[in-house]
């Protein structure tokens, strides 16, 4: 929900509606859990943020986080435990704190003091986590040296590397390397990443480098993981560029990109509003067809999906000129000319081409390949397809 103010800048109606929506969700949750609503107001939220920052900056808090990591506590849970202590001392429940933090950017989008406090809280929290990781004693005998590294730990490694690049002492070190050698500090950045395999996710650094050399292929069907991977690459390159004195250029380019995205979002909002006014009935029909489409997807085998997709792609590429990326309004007009049967087929094609459907198809293919391999192993495969 925190993206709402960014995507609808200056739209007080949307922000107000989202604020009311968040309140309703909170009240429903409290009713379901049979408890009285306990809400942190603005001053309580600011005091909580300040209290947590003081706690993690104190020697006692730093040592506690180091010990938590040495005991194998996950990254997000280590800070969470200190936050819960702060909440209890202030008389608030854990849920009240979560609710206040989640709603801050929606409830106080124009409150500079609150937004600055939240931003500083996030930066200080990230620093506390990454510094505690690097301060802990690593048990080298317990490091992972074989097998597969699961997605959750890979994403943790991404975050820890990103946050490390934000620390002033790291920025200073990288800048010094460039000024001394005249070369980009890419090698040192790689060394820091390798260290974080051990500090952040208990993976032996050489094994970690080898195990993650195919991330682009691995995350091909996982959009959220791929997005995190691309952001990781961007942040590491950004750290190198800043060390080379290009921070001002980067900030300017990033500001221009944010403005471009804001303009694009505003344009999409206007287009969506216009389409709703002109094609509302068609969009309602398409929404009503979705359950039936999903049922058909689940009933189709991999071969049936491939066969349908090949046929439908040819048909709809001709009828709708999808390959030419036509104007959305024109596409909706052409969709409105389709029969209900053809409209359902178009939605089926659209669903089959989505990431979730592709991932499911890939899983089914792997299952079929494993089943075929099992058959060949026992002499049931086609002639000439036994052991090699």
């Amino acid at each position: 929900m925190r993206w709402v103010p960014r995507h609808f800048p200056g739209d007080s109606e949307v922000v107000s509606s989202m604020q009311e929506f968040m309140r309703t969700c909170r009240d429903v949750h409290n009713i379901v859990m049979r408890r009285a609503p306990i809400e942190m107001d603005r001053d309580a939220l600011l005091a909580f943020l300040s209290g947590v920052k003081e706690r993690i900056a104190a020697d006692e808090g730093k040592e506690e986080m180091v010990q938590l990591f040495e005991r194998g506590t996950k990254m997000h849970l280590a800070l969470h435990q200190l936050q819960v202590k702060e909440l209890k001392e202030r008389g608030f429940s854990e849920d009240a704190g979560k609710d206040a933090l989640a709603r801050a950017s929606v409830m106080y989008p124009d409150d500079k003091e609150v937004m600055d406090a939240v931003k500083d809280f996030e930066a200080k929290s990230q620093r506390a986590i990454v510094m505690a990781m690097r301060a802990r004693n690593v048990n080298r005998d317990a490091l992972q040296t074989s097998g597969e590294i699961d997605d959750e730990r890979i994403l943790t490694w991404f975050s820890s590397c990103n946050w490390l690049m934000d620390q002033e002492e790291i920025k200073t070190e990288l800048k010094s390397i460039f000024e001394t050698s005249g070369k980009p500090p890419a090698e040192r950045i790689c060394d820091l990443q390798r260290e974080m395999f051990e500090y952040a996710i208990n993976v032996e650094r050489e094994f970690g480098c080898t195990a993650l050399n195919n991330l682009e292929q691995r995350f091909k069907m996982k959009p959220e993981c791929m997005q995190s991977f691309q952001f990781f690459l961007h942040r590491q390159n950004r750290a190198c560029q800043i060390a080379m004195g290009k921070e001002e250029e980067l900030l300017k380019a990033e500001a221009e990109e944010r403005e471009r995205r804001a303009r694009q979002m505003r344009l999409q909002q206007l287009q969506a509003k216009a389409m709703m006014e002109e094609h509302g009935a068609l969009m309602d029909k398409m929404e009503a067809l979705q359950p039936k489409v999903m049922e058909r997807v689940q009933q189709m085998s991999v071969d049936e999906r491939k066969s349908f997709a090949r046929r439908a792609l040819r048909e709809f590429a001709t009828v709708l000129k999808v390959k030419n990326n036509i104007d959305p309004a024109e596409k909706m007009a052409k969709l409105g000319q389709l029969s209900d049967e053809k409209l359902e087929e178009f939605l089926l094609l659209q669903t089959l081409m989505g990431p979730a459907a592709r991932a499911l198809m890939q899983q089914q293919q792997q299952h079929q390949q494993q089943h075929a391999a099992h058959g060949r192993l026992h002499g049931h495969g086609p002639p000439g397809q036994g052991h090699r």
Side-chain angles (χ1 to χ4, degrees):
M1 296 301 179
R2 50 193 350 186
W3 53 265
V4 170
R6 296 198 303 272
H7 286 189
F8 298 93
D11 195 327
S12 58
E13 183 179 357
V14 171
V15 173
S16 297
S17 298
M18 185 53 62
Q19 290 172 344
E20 184 59 34
F21 171 75
M22 295 288 282
R23 292 191 192 98
T24 303
C25 290
R26 183 196 65 237
D27 293 342
V28 169
H29 177 70
N30 287 328
I31 292 170
V32 172
M33 299 301 292
R34 290 186 173 85
R35 66 181 181 211
I38 302 175
E39 183 175 334
M40 293 179 70
D41 60 21
R42 177 185 179 281
D43 291 341
L45 173 61
L46 288 171
F48 163 69
L49 295 175
S50 177
V52 173
K53 287 187 289 186
E54 290 177 6
R55 187 181 290 269
I56 60 180
D59 291 342
E60 183 180 349
K62 292 178 181 178
E63 181 60 29
E64 184 174 354
M65 289 191 69
V66 170
Q67 292 176 1
L68 286 169
F69 284 128
E70 289 182 346
R71 292 199 293 269
T73 304
K74 292 184 178 181
M75 180 174 72
H76 63 285
L77 293 178
L79 179 64
H80 173 75
Q81 293 191 27
L82 272 69
Q83 292 174 341
V84 170
K85 285 185 178 181
E86 185 70 25
L87 286 167
K88 288 182 176 179
E89 289 183 9
R90 294 180 179 277
F92 292 100
S93 68
E94 179 180 338
D95 286 335
K98 287 181 180 178
D99 184 56
L101 282 174
R103 293 186 301 116
S105 59
V106 175
M107 300 303 293
Y108 310 105
D110 301 319
D111 191 322
K112 188 176 185 303
E113 183 180 3
V114 172
M115 291 295 95
D116 287 348
V118 171
K119 184 178 180 180
D120 187 53
F121 167 79
E122 292 174 347
K124 295 287 176 55
S125 297
Q126 291 168 4
R127 175 176 175 78
I129 289 172
V130 78
M131 290 301 153
M133 284 178 169
R134 289 168 59 82
R136 76 184 183 91
N137 294 316
V138 175
N139 181 0
R140 301 196 61 82
D141 293 335
L143 295 177
Q144 181 180 349
T145 57
S146 62
E148 183 176 85
I149 307 174
D150 61 72
D151 290 351
E152 181 182 1
R153 293 166 73 206
I154 294 174
L155 297 182
T156 294
W157 180 70
F158 287 162
S159 295
S160 65
C161 290
N162 293 343
W163 296 347
L164 183 61
M165 294 300 109
D166 285 336
Q167 306 314 312
E168 288 302 322
E169 54 265 51
I170 299 298
K171 290 181 179 180
T172 300
E173 179 187 354
L174 297 179
K175 184 177 181 180
S176 176
I177 291 173
F178 174 71
E179 291 175 344
T180 302
S181 67
K183 298 179 181 179
E187 185 175 344
R188 177 53 181 156
I189 290 175
C190 287
D191 288 340
L192 291 168
Q193 293 171 353
R194 289 154 64 93
E195 290 174 9
M196 293 311 292
F197 275 122
E198 299 181 358
Y199 287 130
I201 59 175
N202 291 310
V203 170
E204 195 278 323
R205 60 184 68 185
E206 298 301 330
F207 167 69
C209 291
T210 302
L212 301 189
N213 63 4
N214 65 336
L215 284 182
E216 191 165 353
Q217 182 64 30
R218 173 172 173 171
F219 290 158
K220 187 176 181 181
M221 310 301 284
K222 301 175 181 179
E224 291 185 1
C225 293
M226 178 61 81
Q227 185 177 16
S228 296
F229 176 48
Q230 292 171 341
F231 184 64
F232 161 77
L233 295 177
H234 165 72
R235 290 294 295 274
Q236 306 311 297
N237 179 65
R238 185 178 190 275
C240 193
Q241 295 295 312
I242 289 176
M244 296 166 64
K246 299 181 179 181
E247 185 170 10
E248 187 174 337
E249 296 175 27
L250 279 173
L251 293 175
K252 181 180 179 181
E254 289 171 356
E256 291 175 351
E257 176 63 15
R258 284 195 298 272
E259 178 59 28
R260 185 192 68 78
R261 291 183 179 181
R263 288 197 303 269
Q264 185 179 34
M265 182 62 65
R266 288 193 290 269
L267 177 60
Q268 290 173 348
Q269 291 168 13
L270 292 173
Q271 290 175 337
K273 184 177 180 180
M275 282 197 292
M276 281 297 296
E277 293 174 352
E278 186 174 355
H279 305 289
L282 174 60
M283 297 175 77
D284 289 342
K285 183 190 291 187
M286 293 169 67
E287 185 176 356
L289 286 171
Q290 281 297 339
K292 186 177 180 181
V293 168
M294 291 307 300
E295 184 178 351
R296 287 184 62 180
V297 170
Q298 294 168 1
Q299 292 174 350
M300 297 172 78
S301 67
V302 172
D303 289 340
E304 287 172 336
R305 292 181 184 189
K306 286 183 176 179
S307 176
F308 172 83
R310 280 194 293 267
R311 176 183 65 79
L313 276 172
R314 288 194 297 269
E315 177 179 352
F316 290 114
T318 301
V319 175
L320 300 176
K321 301 180 182 177
V322 173
K323 290 184 178 179
N324 293 335
N325 193 26
I326 63 175
D327 181 77
E330 185 180 350
K331 178 184 282 189
M332 291 299 293
K334 289 183 176 292
L335 284 174
Q337 297 171 6
L338 297 178
S339 65
D340 288 355
E341 180 182 358
K342 288 298 181 182
L343 182 61
E344 183 180 324
E345 287 193 353
F346 174 80
L347 293 175
L348 179 58
L349 173 64
Q350 194 175 47
T351 303
L352 288 175
M353 299 308 292
R358 291 199 301 270
L360 180 59
M361 187 183 297
Q362 187 179 51
Q363 291 173 2
Q364 290 178 335
Q365 286 177 315
Q366 291 173 350
H367 177 74
Q368 288 179 351
Q369 291 168 357
Q370 291 170 357
H371 181 73
H374 179 76
R376 290 194 297 271
L377 185 64
H378 291 82
H380 304 307
Q385 293 188 5
H387 296 292
R388 297 188 179 185

